[in-house]
Amino acid sequence: MDQDRDSESIPPPYSPQNETSEINVLIVGETQHGKSTLVQAISSYAGAGYEDIEIGDNGQSCTKEVGRYSITTTIDQYQLVDHNGHPVLEQSWKQLYKLKARDARVEKVVEPRRRSPITFNFFDTPGLGDSAGRDMEIMVDILGQLATLKYVSAMIYVRAADKPFSTSFAKFFDYLRRSMPSLCNGLIILHSKYTTAQLNEALDRGEEDPEENRRQTFAKKTGLDLTHFFLDNVPSERSPFAQLRTLNETSNLLSHIGSQVPLEVTNLRLLKTERIQRFQSFVASDLRELARRLEARWEELRKTASMAEQLTMDSEAEATRCEAAIERIERQISDLSGSGLEILGTRTVAQDYKIYKHLIKNAKVNLKDQTVYFEGDCKIQEVRKSASSSSKWGNESTRGSSWNGTLSSNMLRSMHGTATFYGRTCDINAKEIALLRASVSQQSTQLDFVRNQAKKLRRLTGGDEEMVKKLRCGIEACDRQIKAADSELYEVSVHEKIKDLYKVDGRPSRPAVIQFIEALDPQLAMLMVSYG
């Protein structure tokens, strides 16, 4: 539990070249799980004035499109004081839970060193699973907005603490992992609507650590060890303890986000909506017809050719196939070979200090230091840590893909800290890149052979080499775009160019199909005009 978590001093934010100091944060989740009230809670914490955001009900989301909320705030810790301004000494959970406004109030802790304010840009997204049935259209909007950003520091998945990790969760979470693989390793899980009343009921039922139980359930469902936060988005005004918990957990959340390395937004994929699939099925049909006509023209040329000319054409066709394969593989290698950073994983430590359990019963004035270990899949390039003001990381050691460090706490204080580990994209994908390069080498050897063969034959036969190459390149391009049209995912980067075409009902016009293909492959569009 986190009844005495404090906020944290954060390290200077990482700034990629030409990047501002503002921090972009994407908030995702199903409808009515607390995404908009999270923005409200952070706004209230910062005094930013977004408390009037509309909240959905009856299975419908009030957030109809991606909203951007810029919030500038310092990150402070809070404590309970009585009405004479004296700190309320730590009491039992029940005593803290029963405190009323007449007994205590929440007050900001005055730090000896003033912290600089940080600007966060929160992107609140429409919730999935609402009664309007617009899930895939919503994801198109979310990823389309994300594609306009150069960097994202964090993505928060919000799920109500009283909701199980059900089938709808599995569906949505699977979509996130497939659409945004580079961001999901560092996904922040925020359990919203986590009230003191709920926690009190869990303790009454004999649950020793409800938060840890939920973390473990999530890990079993997903296989991921991620950073979790537990927040009462709308704490009771009559409970100073509930307000304290919300403020300090908000501090912890903002501290963790502020310590993250901004990651380049890359390799985003959209799961096609029914309307997009229908449109692209017509495109694929027209491309198959174009490929048939190109093949027919190819066969006409081949039938009128001599045996030597046929051998030449076959060699040139094989050369074109090899070139297309090499181009495709090299694009894959390029996608995997970035020098930017990606998240390898995270580790979190959260322990409460209890006067009775630790001091009175066991005569301990400090929590036991916690040593944390992490083993990555490649060399660790950077470690970003956050720690509450009562906690401190030390004794760090990084060796290749291994890291360990120790988190300690002050006397009579709880501890809270996170560590996020980063590796270079090219290192993470090194094995896959090696296999692809071997494939390029194999294709290049074959290409050199058939090119030399075609060159020798062409000297003997002559013929229209440009026409042959144009036809084979067109056939290969048709095959490539047909596979893309038949796939359930497509690149976010092309969405802005073609999104208006999807508004057409029924079969798209030929000009619309050509406009679509032109956005993807201008030369193929020209062939469609010529052979249409």
Side-chain angles (χ1 to χ4, degrees):
M1 295 182 301
D2 55 344
Q3 67 202 54
D4 188 33
R5 290 184 186 171
D6 304 293
S7 96
E8 120 145 40
S9 59
I10 66 172
Y14 171 89
S15 296
Q17 188 176 8
N18 300 323
E19 180 64 3
T20 70
S21 59
E22 295 187 359
I23 296 171
N24 295 325
V25 184
L26 187 69
I27 302 174
V28 298
E30 295 165 72
T31 191
Q32 292 188 24
H33 277 251
K35 296 184 303 300
S36 294
T37 54
L38 170 61
V39 176
Q40 283 183 333
I42 296 171
S43 175
S44 177
Y45 172 91
Y50 292 126
E51 289 86 347
D52 58 350
I53 299 171
E54 290 188 68
I55 307 301
D57 58 11
N58 297 323
Q60 293 188 343
S61 171
C62 271
T63 305
K64 300 301 182 185
E65 58 185 24
V66 178
R68 172 175 172 157
Y69 300 92
S70 292
I71 298 176
T72 301
T73 182
T74 55
I75 301 180
D76 302 293
Q77 65 173 343
Y78 290 80
Q79 63 182 350
L80 290 177
V81 299
D82 60 27
H83 289 289
N84 292 319
H86 299 135
V88 174
L89 296 177
E90 187 170 349
Q91 304 174 38
S92 69
W93 165 264
K94 288 293 184 183
Q95 290 173 317
L96 292 168
Y97 174 66
K98 291 177 180 179
L99 286 175
K100 304 297 182 185
R102 64 176 178 271
D103 304 315
R105 69 175 188 273
V106 177
E107 186 177 88
K108 186 183 295 185
V109 175
V110 178
E111 296 287 347
R113 179 175 60 87
R114 182 176 176 80
R115 294 187 175 97
S116 299
I118 301 172
T119 297
F120 298 87
N121 296 319
F122 290 96
F123 293 84
D124 184 21
T125 64
L128 295 192
D130 71 359
S131 57
R134 296 177 54 247
D135 284 2
M136 291 303 102
E137 284 84 357
I138 288 170
M139 284 305 300
V140 168
D141 291 341
I142 292 173
L143 294 182
Q145 176 68 50
L146 187 57
T148 66
L149 303 175
K150 188 174 182 181
Y151 294 95
V152 171
S153 290
M155 182 164 65
I156 302 174
Y157 174 75
V158 179
R159 188 162 188 83
D162 60 347
K163 300 296 183 182
F165 298 112
S166 58
T167 303
S168 62
F169 158 79
K171 177 183 176 182
F172 179 48
F173 198 78
D174 178 64
Y175 188 95
L176 287 179
R177 296 176 78 171
R178 292 163 65 195
S179 301
M180 297 173 273
S182 62
L183 297 178
C184 274
N185 279 347
L187 188 66
I188 297 169
I189 310 301
L190 188 130
H191 306 266
S192 63
K193 306 180 183 180
Y194 186 65
T195 66
T196 52
Q198 285 178 319
L199 184 51
N200 189 59
E201 290 172 4
L203 295 174
D204 284 345
R205 291 194 300 267
E207 293 185 41
E208 289 188 8
D209 197 339
E211 295 175 17
E212 184 58 28
N213 292 341
R214 194 158 172 85
R215 286 189 193 96
Q216 290 180 4
T217 301
F218 176 89
K220 288 179 182 178
K221 287 283 185 179
T222 64
L224 296 175
D225 182 8
L226 300 176
T227 299
H228 296 249
F229 293 89
F230 295 81
L231 188 71
D232 183 356
N233 310 38
V234 189
S236 170
E237 294 180 358
R238 294 176 294 181
S239 173
F241 183 47
Q243 295 171 33
L244 176 72
R245 285 168 54 81
T246 293
L247 288 168
N248 280 342
E249 189 70 340
T250 303
S251 293
N252 288 331
L253 174 64
L254 295 179
S255 297
H256 176 71
I257 294 170
S259 71
Q260 302 300 286
V261 173
L263 300 176
E264 291 185 57
V265 179
T266 58
N267 299 328
L268 297 181
R269 300 289 186 271
L270 287 168
L271 185 62
K272 295 174 184 175
T273 65
E274 199 171 303
R275 180 184 290 269
I276 292 174
Q277 287 178 332
R278 185 167 59 249
F279 181 96
Q280 293 198 11
S281 70
F282 289 122
V283 172
S285 176
D286 286 357
L287 285 171
R288 289 187 177 93
E289 176 60 21
L290 174 60
R292 186 192 67 75
R293 293 183 183 186
L294 294 176
E295 286 281 6
R297 178 61 181 145
W298 165 268
E299 287 300 327
E300 286 177 12
L301 292 174
R302 202 170 184 281
K303 284 178 182 178
T304 60
S306 65
M307 181 66 71
E309 288 173 334
Q310 289 180 7
L311 289 173
T312 304
M313 292 175 67
D314 290 343
S315 295
E316 289 171 346
E318 177 64 9
T320 302
R321 186 201 65 76
C322 290
E323 287 170 348
I326 290 170
E327 182 183 353
R328 173 178 53 79
I329 296 169
E330 286 182 338
R331 281 199 304 269
Q332 290 179 270
I333 292 173
S334 178
D335 289 342
L336 298 171
S337 299
S339 59
L341 298 180
E342 291 188 29
I343 295 176
L344 298 172
T346 61
R347 290 290 183 267
T348 303
V349 177
Q351 286 194 6
D352 293 324
Y353 185 89
K354 299 179 176 65
I355 294 292
Y356 175 76
K357 177 181 177 181
H358 295 104
L359 182 61
I360 298 176
K361 191 174 180 180
N362 294 308
K364 293 181 179 179
V365 295
N366 292 88
L367 289 172
K368 183 180 179 182
D369 291 355
Q370 295 295 308
T371 300
V372 179
Y373 298 92
F374 179 80
E375 183 67 38
D377 294 328
C378 68
K379 183 179 179 181
I380 297 171
Q381 295 291 338
E382 188 159 351
V383 182
R384 285 301 180 94
K385 305 174 297 299
S386 68
S388 62
S389 59
S390 63
S391 307
K392 183 179 180 180
W393 286 102
N395 299 325
E396 288 184 69
S397 174
T398 304
R399 293 185 179 180
S401 60
S402 300
W403 177 91
N404 63 270
T406 301
L407 187 68
S408 57
S409 63
N410 296 340
M411 292 176 58
L412 309 180
R413 301 299 297 275
S414 298
M415 69 167 60
H416 182 273
T418 65
T420 306
F421 308 92
Y422 299 86
R424 295 202 182 281
T425 301
C426 55
D427 294 337
I428 294 170
N429 300 310
K431 291 181 180 179
E432 188 173 355
I433 290 171
L435 291 173
L436 289 171
R437 283 179 174 158
S439 180
V440 167
S441 178
Q442 183 179 9
Q443 292 287 344
S444 296
T445 300
Q446 175 69 3
L447 177 60
D448 289 341
F449 173 77
V450 295
R451 268 181 178 168
N452 289 332
Q453 186 179 51
K455 188 175 180 179
K456 292 175 182 178
L457 290 168
R458 181 61 65 191
R459 289 196 191 113
L460 298 173
T461 60
D464 191 346
E465 181 180 358
E466 285 301 315
M467 174 58 72
V468 169
K469 188 172 182 63
K470 183 178 180 181
L471 289 172
R472 293 316 307 180
C473 286
I475 292 167
E476 290 294 336
C478 284
D479 182 62
R480 183 171 62 252
Q481 294 302 336
I482 288 169
K483 288 178 180 176
D486 289 341
S487 171
E488 63 177 5
L489 296 170
Y490 79 106
E491 302 263 350
V492 173
S493 57
V494 303
H495 180 66
E496 284 298 313
K497 302 177 185 177
I498 57 181
K499 64 180 181 181
D500 290 338
L501 296 173
Y502 296 133
K503 297 177 182 178
V504 177
D505 289 320
R507 183 176 182 87
S509 65
R510 186 161 187 79
V513 171
I514 292 173
Q515 184 182 348
F516 176 89
I517 294 172
E518 187 176 21
L520 305 175
D521 189 333
Q523 290 186 337
L524 183 58
M526 291 174 63
L527 276 177
M528 179 163 276
V529 172
S530 300
Y531 286 85

